[in-house]
């Protein structure tokens, strides 16, 4: 039988440290929306470990949605809401704004996307979070970031150049610029935590 599961090796390294941050920052109940779920390895790891929350994956690439489905079937969890929705952050409205959900969304997580998409996608992400999240809702980002225009490690600088060579619209983002956009969408920077391999967890809260 065909196995549609895909593997992103970094997820095995970063999922436990990310889980430990999510355990601290996510609201006590309701639905967590994941934007850009990729292979589905993160959400199928988080859902059984944060069983008091509902987990809703999204992914704009059809083959990756098949991978999320396959991971969800291999590691079933009653609180994992399948199938993953087809969502590009530039869509307006996002499908979750029109579909009925068992519980409202109070948190959005987005891992390793804003440096691997055009800069304007960060604005679309923030705009969607503004439309969806209630006061006190959380937007969690994970990935590499620059601080005040400077890379935080030589390896991030190399990675940034590699991304830009691949696609000139991509690149490691500056936290202060991300924060400025977030503020225009009613999202306040609450925490920035260093993570392994020169990544950061960045937590915004909806005012
Ligand atoms: C490097 S992968 C990260 C996937 C997963 N979160 C992970 O950490 O393994 C980048 C992801 O961003 C998604 N992506 C890129 N541009 C997007 C957009 N405009 N809207 C939504 N997702 C986007 C891709 O489809 C892909 O799933």
């Amino acid at each position: 039988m065909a196995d549609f599961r895909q593997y992103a090796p970094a997820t095995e390294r970063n999922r436990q440290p990310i889980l430990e941050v999510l355990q601290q920052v996510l609201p006590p109940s309701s639905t967590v929306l994941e934007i850009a779920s990729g292979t589905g390895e993160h959400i199928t790891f988080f859902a059984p470990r944060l069983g008091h929350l509902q987990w809703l994956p999204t992914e704009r690439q059809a083959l990756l949605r098949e991978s999320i489905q396959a991971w969800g079937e291999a590691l079933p969890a009653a609180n994992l809401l399948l199938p993953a929705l087809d969502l590009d952050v530039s869509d307006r409205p996002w499908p979750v704004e029109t579909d009925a959900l068992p519980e409202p969304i109070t948190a959005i997580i987005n891992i390793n996307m804003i440096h691997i998409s055009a800069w304007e996608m960060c604005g679309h992400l923030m705009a969607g979070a503004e439309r969806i999240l209630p006061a006190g809702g959380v937007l969690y980002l994970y990935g590499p970031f620059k601080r005040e225009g400077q890379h935080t490690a030589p390896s991030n600088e190399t990675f940034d150049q590699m991304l830009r060579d691949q696609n000139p619209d991509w690149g490691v983002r500056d936290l202060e610029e991300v924060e400025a956009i977030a503020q225009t969408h009613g999202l306040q920077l609450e925490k920035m935590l260093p993570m392994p391999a020169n990544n950061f967890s960045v937590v915004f809260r909806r005012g």
Side-chain angles (χ1 to χ4, degrees), residues 8 11 34-38 42 59-61 64 87-89 111-113 116-117 121:
T11 54
E34 184 176 35
I35 303 289
S37 296
H42 279 127
E59 174 53 54
R60 64 178 192 148
Q61 298 183 51
L64 289 173
L87 190 158
D88 186 299
V89 288
I111 300 170
N112 284 329
M113 186 199 82
I116 306 186
S117 55
M121 296 306 157

Side-chain angles (χ1 to χ4, degrees), residues 23-203:
Q23 283 167 333
Q24 294 168 37
V25 303
L26 291 181
S29 64
S30 70
T31 302
V32 181
L33 174 70
E34 184 176 35
I35 303 289
S37 296
T39 61
E41 289 165 280
H42 279 127
I43 202 159
T44 50
F45 181 77
F46 300 149
R49 289 165 179 82
L50 287 161
H52 57 291
L53 297 164
Q54 305 293 308
W55 291 83
L56 177 58
T58 72
E59 174 53 54
R60 64 178 192 148
Q61 298 183 51
L63 283 177
L64 289 173
R65 287 198 302 279
E66 287 188 11
S67 175
I68 297 164
Q69 189 70 27
W71 273 108
E73 287 168 12
L75 303 170
N79 59 333
L80 179 63
L81 305 174
L82 292 173
L85 301 178
D86 179 5
L87 190 158
D88 186 299
V89 288
S90 62
D91 294 341
R92 189 92 187 244
W94 288 359
V96 288
E97 294 176 75
T98 48
D99 295 357
L101 293 173
E103 294 188 38
I105 293 165
T106 55
I108 298 174
I109 68 170
N110 180 234
I111 300 170
N112 284 329
M113 186 199 82
I114 64 168
H115 56 288
I116 306 186
S117 55
W119 170 236
E120 69 207 56
M121 296 306 157
C122 180
H124 287 304
L125 173 66
M126 300 296 179
E130 179 181 25
R131 294 194 303 276
I132 287 170
L133 291 177
V138 166
L139 171 65
Y140 170 89
L141 305 185
Y142 173 92
F145 287 87
K146 289 192 267 185
R147 300 299 313 267
E148 297 181 344
Q150 303 298 315
H151 285 291
T152 60
S155 58
N156 282 3
E157 190 167 358
T158 307
F159 179 54
D160 187 30
Q161 194 54 55
M162 198 197 77
L163 290 174
R164 290 172 195 278
D165 290 346
Q166 217 174 322
N167 185 329
D169 289 340
W170 294 359
V172 172
R173 307 304 177 196
D174 192 301
L175 179 71
E176 284 71 24
E177 290 182 12
V178 174
E179 183 184 5
I181 294 208
Q183 274 179 357
T184 67
H185 290 288
L187 297 156
Q188 306 306 323
L189 179 63
E190 184 171 278
K191 271 191 187 137
M192 184 186 195
L193 303 168
M195 302 292 284
N198 303 308
N199 288 292
F200 290 92
S201 281
V202 181
V203 180

